Amino acid sequence: MRLVVVSAGLSVPSSTRLLADRLSAATVGRTAAGADMDVEVVELRDLAVEIAHNFTNGFPGRKLAAALAAVTAADGLIVVTPVFSASYSGLFKSFFDVIDPDALAGKPVLIAATGGSARHSLVLEHALRPLFSYLRAVVVPTAVYAASEDWGAEGLPERIERAAAELAALMKGLSAPSTPSAPVKDDRAEKTGKSELTVVPFADQLAALTAR
């Protein structure tokens, strides 16, 4: 299995990268001793120029193309952004704007964010979760927000472990071989005595109403 971590932190060192590393370590720890789990980290800070060029010329540079390919091929994603102006960062959004719209369909994603105040914790629900739902990803129930005061405090390690367990379970479920299900018999034709249902166009239905 391949786990790809997308970090939008700008500083070095970065609390965003620190949270990303803790989430990835916890996810690997939730698999069978990390067996067959490859982890790749995509630092968006290093791709900022190529992301901007992609918007203007329509072609990804070498590093950006490799990052997009890694995200597309991943079995699971951890995405972490700092909070800017009560939402995800522009760099974070720009990266997911240039990715193929179908690349994340059905892919398990753990969303997380860092910020200077706990008041911005709802960014996970009003910004990140709708973004990845729009991209048709499968977002794990537990999202992780880390404010400055959360580091070293109670609660954050537990949230990290819970979210990691949910992501690992989804990744394991997708990698397990599936058993073909028996076809479901459609007995509507037998009940109605017709080979298929008759569909009346809406315009005809509307005309029938206005004629009364």
Side-chain angles (χ1 to χ4, degrees):
M1 289 188 292
R2 176 179 296 180
L3 174 65
V4 174
V5 182
V6 178
S7 171
L10 298 179
S11 60
V12 180
S14 164
S15 61
T16 300
R17 176 60 188 271
L18 177 59
L19 180 58
D21 288 344
R22 291 195 178 183
L23 287 166
S24 62
T27 302
V28 171
R30 287 287 180 166
T31 61
D36 301 325
M37 176 75 80
D38 295 324
V39 180
E40 180 176 349
V41 178
V42 175
E43 281 281 8
L44 298 188
R45 178 186 64 247
D46 301 331
L47 303 174
V49 174
E50 291 192 13
I51 291 173
H53 286 169
N54 191 95
F55 278 112
T56 57
N57 61 30
F59 297 97
R62 180 176 57 84
K63 292 182 179 179
L64 177 58
L68 295 175
V71 168
T72 301
D75 297 301
L77 291 177
I78 295 174
V79 298
V80 192
T81 178
V83 174
F84 289 165
S85 301
S87 188
Y88 37 61
S89 72
L91 179 60
F92 181 87
K93 179 61 163 58
S94 295
F95 176 75
F96 288 101
D97 280 344
V98 301
I99 199 168
D100 186 281
D102 297 322
L104 302 186
K107 199 178 299 294
V109 178
L110 191 167
I111 57 175
T114 59
S117 168
R119 293 193 299 272
H120 292 306
S121 61
L122 286 178
V123 68
L124 295 166
E125 303 304 327
H126 74 66
L128 270 77
R129 195 177 296 276
L131 170 63
F132 289 97
S133 295
Y134 171 78
L135 294 172
R136 293 179 291 144
V138 180
V139 186
V140 303
T142 301
V144 180
Y145 180 83
S148 299
E149 62 266 24
D150 289 328
W151 297 102
E154 295 182 1
L156 180 59
E158 289 76 13
R159 294 198 303 275
I160 289 174
E161 289 295 332
R162 184 167 64 248
E166 293 168 355
L167 178 60
L170 282 176
M171 293 177 65
K172 182 179 179 181
L174 290 178
S175 65
S178 58
T179 303
S181 58
V184 178
K185 181 180 179 182
D186 188 351
D187 59 354
R188 288 178 298 178
E190 296 179 1
K191 293 180 179 178
T192 61
K194 300 179 181 180
S195 59
E196 60 181 13
L197 295 177
T198 301
V199 179
V200 179
F202 176 73
D204 294 347
Q205 297 182 47
L206 185 61
L209 290 175
T210 56
R212 294 178 182 177

